Amino acid sequence: MSALATASAPAPVEAPQARARIFSGIQPSGIVHLGNDLGAVRNYVRLQSEYEAIYCIVDYHALTSTHDADLLRERTREMAASLLALGLDPERCTLFVQSHRPEHTELAWLLATVTPVSWLERTPTYKEKREQQPNDINHGLLTYPVLQAADIVIYKATLVPVGKDQAAHLELSREIVRSFNNRYGDTFPQPQAVYTEAPVVLGTDGVRKMSKSLGNTIDILGPPELIRKQVTSMVTDTKRILRTDPGRPEVCNVCRLHRFFGPDFEEIWEGERTARTGCVDTKKLLADRIVAHYSPARERFLELIANPSLVERILESGADRLRPKAEATMAEVRAKMGLRSGSWTQAACSL
Ligand code: ADP
């Protein structure tokens, strides 16, 4: 340090910079699959040290497709155990269950009043769900994106790590925010999506995105034999009929996934291109690597599943930690919309 610096008045202590807040939700619809991890959860883990990270298991959303109470409870615990096993650290991020902060549904109602029905009817996922569950086209399916917007903006999060399938929903959240802000004054920031290097992971059919509801998943925390069976069933390059035919790794889902499980994927691609290796060899190698990669996480997952009270404590404490933020936003919003006296605004803005 220079003499001049030591002689001068102590440097003013800089106020700690608030870290940007991120939020993401995941449905408790079974154990996590490879698409969830490569498309979103890897980013959850990576971003938890850089940002103020809030991650939510969205059980209210799951109710639009699951009506079995015990199953929902079990899946919620399983999803929490999966996320913790994959690297979410409750010391560095907040993990909670959506229904433990019921303010989300109140805000969803308020946001619904500034959301035209036509925006919701044109949502691609709504159209897909109508086809997937024609006997249960419930109101929640239509308003799903409004609740999703509420989940994000109740914490005024600015960044949302998700897979590309969520792009339309996120755009809708931004539209809802603009609609609210135009009517009631600047209240919410417009959230932005953050993608991984694998924003869309295709399923074992090699055509549609990997998704629990499509039954084309690789269940990364499942038993090794299940993973091997799922990888073996994967559709590869459909034009490669004979073992001696040269392959096209750029269109082969198995080859594309090798990119994420080892530094030698170019060599693997070359083997396919020159027919030095066959699809069966490439699949076997991929299965071995996926099993090995997720084996420590699977062990942690099994430990956590055997200790439900630990998982429940983590989730409860996450929801408690968020209470002041959720309540502050609700107080501000109620005041702006004329639901409470204006004096609530001041308390809200101080948080
Ligand atoms: P699912 O579609 O299997 O029901 P969710 O809707 O709960 O999974 O998705 C949880 C997160 O995982 C979201 O951010 C979503 O965008 C991401 N995700 C899901 N499937 C994929 C996929 N096949 N590729 C990339 N990201 C995905």
Side-chain angles (χ1 to χ4, degrees):
M1 197 181 275
S2 73
L4 190 63
T6 42
S8 59
V13 178
E14 274 185 33
Q17 288 258 310
R19 290 185 300 165
R21 193 171 290 158
I22 63 175
F23 175 94
S24 195
I26 189 161
Q27 284 206 56
S29 40
I31 295 172
V32 285
H33 59 72
L34 188 63
N36 295 140
D37 187 39
L38 297 184
V41 178
R42 279 190 180 189
N43 256 356
Y44 293 7
V45 176
R46 185 173 67 83
L47 299 172
Q48 65 182 341
S49 6
E50 282 168 55
Y51 294 93
E52 185 188 337
I54 302 172
Y55 300 123
C56 181
I57 300 171
V58 291
D59 56 349
Y60 282 143
H61 285 289
L63 284 172
T64 58
S65 304
T66 310
H67 302 293
D68 178 328
D70 290 334
L71 186 65
L72 182 60
R73 259 188 294 274
E74 184 189 321
R75 287 180 168 179
T76 301
R77 262 200 308 272
E78 276 180 3
M79 182 51 78
S82 305
L83 294 174
L84 293 165
L86 287 168
L88 288 199
D89 175 357
E91 300 286 318
R92 289 190 288 162
C93 70
T94 301
L95 176 66
F96 76 112
V97 178
Q98 188 183 27
S99 63
H100 295 186
R101 285 266 52 94
E103 295 88 350
H104 287 228
T105 44
E106 184 188 352
L107 184 57
W109 174 261
L110 301 181
L111 294 181
T113 65
V114 297
T115 307
V117 177
S118 58
W119 290 1
L120 302 173
E121 282 171 335
R122 70 173 192 224
T123 314
T125 39
Y126 175 58
K127 293 182 191 155
E128 279 164 29
K129 284 283 178 185
R130 284 170 61 114
E131 280 170 27
Q132 279 169 20
Q133 48 186 79
N135 300 322
D136 186 17
I137 306 174
N138 56 72
H139 179 250
L141 285 179
L142 182 68
T143 49
Y144 193 110
V146 183
L147 179 56
Q148 194 171 25
D151 297 336
I152 301 166
V153 304
I154 198 164
Y155 305 111
K156 303 201 175 179
T158 51
L159 298 172
V160 186
V162 277
K164 204 60 184 271
D165 58 321
Q166 293 296 322
H169 280 180
L170 212 63
E171 192 42 49
L172 199 44
S173 291
R174 294 162 61 80
E175 284 183 283
I176 294 171
V177 163
R178 286 197 291 271
S179 172
F180 186 94
N181 288 352
N182 282 342
R183 203 160 299 187
Y184 294 106
D186 213 16
T187 308
F188 300 118
Q190 290 186 49
Q192 303 247 0
V194 186
Y195 298 125
T196 65
E197 286 174 354
V200 183
V201 176
L202 296 183
T204 48
D205 52 14
V207 184
R208 296 171 303 171
K209 78 152 198 160
M210 187 176 290
S211 174
K212 281 157 271 193
S213 50
L214 298 174
N216 60 359
T217 57
I218 297 172
D219 300 348
I220 49 181
L221 301 181
E225 357 18 301
L226 175 68
I227 296 178
R228 285 182 204 288
K229 193 166 151 221
Q230 289 170 329
V231 175
T232 307
S233 78
M234 283 177 78
V235 174
T236 51
D237 175 3
T238 46
K239 289 206 173 142
R240 191 175 183 200
I241 314 288
L242 300 173
R243 165 69 180 74
T244 47
D245 289 344
R248 296 172 303 158
E250 59 290 347
V251 300
C252 169
N253 197 19
V254 176
C255 288
R256 280 202 295 246
L257 288 178
H258 265 290
R259 199 181 258 275
F260 304 100
F261 293 97
D264 55 350
F265 77 92
E266 281 176 351
E267 210 178 295
I268 293 167
W269 282 37
E270 199 46 33
E272 283 282 305
R273 209 174 272 126
T274 57
R276 177 167 44 79
T277 48
C279 295
V280 175
D281 310 321
T282 319
K283 282 187 197 180
K284 188 175 173 314
L285 185 62
L286 182 65
D288 288 344
R289 288 184 174 184
I290 292 179
V291 167
H293 181 87
Y294 290 105
S295 155
R298 176 170 159 76
E299 257 175 56
R300 282 196 295 276
F301 170 74
L302 293 174
E303 279 164 26
L304 287 160
I305 281 294
N307 193 350
S309 56
L310 171 65
V311 174
E312 264 156 39
R313 273 204 306 280
I314 291 170
L315 296 173
E316 287 301 334
S317 116
D320 285 349
R321 211 180 305 160
L322 292 172
R323 178 197 293 271
K325 291 188 180 73
E327 286 182 347
T329 303
M330 288 320 300
E332 181 185 2
V333 171
R334 288 185 203 117
K336 284 186 169 167
M337 296 182 86
L339 299 171
R340 288 275 208 280
S341 88
S343 61
W344 283 73
T345 322
Q346 225 179 347
C349 291
S350 64
L351 272 176

